[in-house]
Amino acid sequence: MQSFHCNTEEDALNYLFIGDTNRVVSKTPKNDESTRSHCIFIINMESSKPGSDIKTVASVHLVDLSGSERIKQTGVEGLLEKEAININLGLHYL
C-alpha cells in the first residue's frame, strides 16, 4: 500500500483519480466490469484555531472492496478463477 501526503483538496482528488485508473477490472460471465482489486482511501485531517494549542484530529476511511464471488456461479476459469480465489481470501482476512 502506498501513502501520499496532500496539502490541498486538489492533491487528494488527483491521487484518488490515479488510484481509480490503476484498479484492475475484468469481464466475467456475471459482470462486464468486475473489480479485481480493493481500494482503501484514508483521509487524516487536523485543524486548530489560530492562536490555540488545541488540535482537532479526524480520520475518514473510504473502502471499496472487490466483491466476493461464488466461483461456481460466475463460471470463471483459469486466471480469473485464481484471482477470484485470492479476492475471497483477502476479504476473509479483512
Side-chain angles (χ1 to χ4, degrees):
M1 179 167 54
Q2 292 181 315
S3 178
F4 299 96
H5 181 78
C6 302
N7 290 316
T8 67
E9 179 183 347
E10 185 179 354
D11 288 345
L13 289 172
N14 284 334
Y15 282 120
L16 182 61
F17 177 75
I18 290 168
D20 186 51
T21 56
N22 286 311
R23 293 186 77 194
V24 178
V25 295
S26 291
K27 184 176 182 174
T28 65
K30 296 235 176 200
N31 187 349
D32 286 344
E33 292 188 21
S34 177
T35 305
R36 314 310 290 173
S37 58
H38 308 302
C39 178
I40 302 172
F41 195 71
I42 302 170
I43 304 168
N44 295 309
M45 298 164 281
E46 273 187 27
S47 70
S48 61
K49 292 183 180 180
S52 173
D53 292 336
I54 299 172
K55 286 186 179 179
T56 302
V57 179
S59 183
V60 177
H61 294 74
L62 304 174
V63 180
D64 181 11
L65 301 175
S66 54
S68 175
E69 296 183 343
R70 298 189 193 283
I71 295 170
K72 290 181 182 177
Q73 289 180 349
T74 58
V76 295
E77 296 177 342
L79 181 60
L80 287 178
E81 181 180 15
K82 289 179 185 178
E83 285 179 347
I85 290 168
N86 287 328
I87 288 168
N88 290 342
L89 187 60
L91 290 170
H92 170 76
Y93 286 114
L94 287 173

